[in-house]
Amino acid sequence: MNVKVLDRDGVRIVECTDSITRVDDALDLIAACIERGSTRLLIDSRHLPAAFFDLRSKFAGEFLQKLQNYRLRVAAVFLSEHEYGERFSEFLSEAKRGNSFRAFTVRTDAEAWLAFQ
């Protein structure tokens, strides 16, 4: 899994730069964070598979649960909260208030939340 490391206000953030295709790709991202000494992960929605946006597939829940089991703070940047259908929009509305996973539409906001200690 390709990643890059960002430094925001002295906080190391790991950014996923590869396409995520399987739920178990979460394990690769966890390893990447551990190897780089970070508990912060940034994901762009363009790297997520279609199954992530179909809540019936359970991909999103299983993928995010793996990341949360390792106490990673995860921010995901989505193009628009209404682009993915009604059910997923409801999920995003809730995720905008999350403690360990939070959804954003502006990348700089996501980075600022991840950098906040």
Side-chain angles (χ1 to χ4, degrees):
M1 179 73 49
N2 291 319
V3 300
K4 69 179 178 181
V5 178
L6 311 172
D7 184 282
R8 296 295 179 261
D9 302 321
V11 176
R12 187 173 291 194
I13 299 170
V14 173
E15 179 180 4
C16 175
T17 59
D18 244 348
S19 292
I20 296 166
T21 59
R22 309 171 296 123
V23 169
D24 283 343
D25 286 343
L27 301 175
D28 294 335
L29 291 171
I30 292 163
C33 286
I34 291 170
E35 289 169 2
R36 288 156 181 86
S38 178
T39 59
R40 315 297 169 109
L41 178 63
L42 178 63
I43 300 173
D44 187 301
S45 65
R46 293 174 292 182
H47 296 299
L48 297 169
F52 187 91
F53 303 99
D54 178 7
L55 297 181
R56 292 174 295 184
S57 76
K58 300 183 182 178
F59 188 105
E62 292 175 16
F63 180 79
L64 294 172
Q65 185 62 53
K66 287 180 185 291
L67 299 173
Q68 290 174 359
N69 287 345
Y70 283 83
R71 303 193 190 286
L72 294 184
R73 186 177 221 191
V74 182
V77 181
F78 296 88
L79 301 175
S80 163
E81 81 179 57
H82 302 292
E83 187 172 314
Y84 308 103
E86 182 180 347
R87 299 295 293 167
F88 196 78
S89 292
E90 291 172 8
F91 168 76
L92 287 180
S93 291
E94 287 183 35
K96 287 185 174 190
R97 298 182 303 274
N99 292 323
S100 59
F101 170 73
R102 194 168 283 192
F104 296 88
T105 54
V106 178
R107 180 188 168 100
T108 54
D109 292 344
E111 289 179 16
W113 179 75
L114 287 170
F116 181 73
Q117 299 193 29

